[in-house]
Amino acid sequence: MSEDANGKKIFLHIPSDADLSERSVSHSIGVANSFFEEYYPDFAGADMYCDSWMLAPALREVLPESSNIMNFRRRFEVIRVNEDSKAFLEWIYPDPSVSYTVREKYEPRLWRHLFGIFLLIFLAIRLYSGVIFTKI
């Protein structure tokens, strides 16, 4: 949460093992809205922001429109791009000494291969900042 000259803002965090299905994301946003209404009423209804490589427009080229990442992405209007960020690499190539839930769900070599192809095609993924433009 923060407040600046443009108003109050709520920043969303996406855990690495998050369920990005439309139903789950809608539920999570609804729970967040209820939380802020009850505990931080000054922030109730504030715009929700997210900084993530998952907001990259280039993902349209490699993911089906029906994918959960694309459904999540469609909720946001991209407002800023961090050209120098390599944050996506921390998710694609996590620290091998840490046990990540995502590793238990997916074959890491497959993800690395797919994103390696993506990087070759598009050369880089930036960190995109977006604001939810449809209220739940």
Side-chain angles (χ1 to χ4, degrees), residues 59-103:
L59 290 173
R60 287 186 223 128
E61 304 299 324
V62 294
L63 294 175
E65 280 299 311
S66 61
S67 77
N68 287 337
I69 289 176
M70 291 304 294
N71 287 330
F72 178 80
R73 190 192 168 288
R74 277 191 287 278
R75 292 176 182 267
F76 293 87
E77 174 186 350
V78 173
I79 58 171
R80 186 177 58 249
V81 179
N82 180 340
E83 297 287 340
D84 300 322
S85 177
K86 302 290 186 240
F88 71 97
L89 288 173
E90 294 172 12
W91 187 80
I92 298 168
Y93 303 106
D95 182 346
S97 66
V98 178
S99 174
Y100 290 87
T101 306
V102 74
R103 236 190 234 135

Side-chain angles (χ1 to χ4, degrees), residues 17-28:
D17 62 346
D19 176 357
L20 292 178
S21 68
E22 191 145 349
R23 180 178 171 189
S24 181
V25 173
S26 292
H27 175 74
S28 294

Side-chain angles (χ1 to χ4, degrees), residues 5 8 10-12 14-15 21 23 59 81 94-95 99 102 107 109 112 114:
K8 292 176 173 43
I10 298 170
F11 292 89
L12 304 177
I14 310 163
S21 68
R23 180 178 171 189
L59 290 173
V81 179
D95 182 346
S99 174
V102 74
E107 171 58 45
R109 286 176 296 188
R112 288 180 184 173
L114 292 174

Side-chain angles (χ1 to χ4, degrees), residues 92-127:
I92 298 168
Y93 303 106
D95 182 346
S97 66
V98 178
S99 174
Y100 290 87
T101 306
V102 74
R103 236 190 234 135
E104 297 165 9
K105 290 184 178 179
Y106 306 106
E107 171 58 45
R109 286 176 296 188
L110 174 60
W111 279 105
R112 288 180 184 173
H113 176 72
L114 292 174
F115 276 90
I117 291 170
F118 184 86
L119 289 174
L120 286 173
I121 294 170
F122 295 103
L123 301 178
I125 300 176
R126 310 292 188 239
L127 181 66

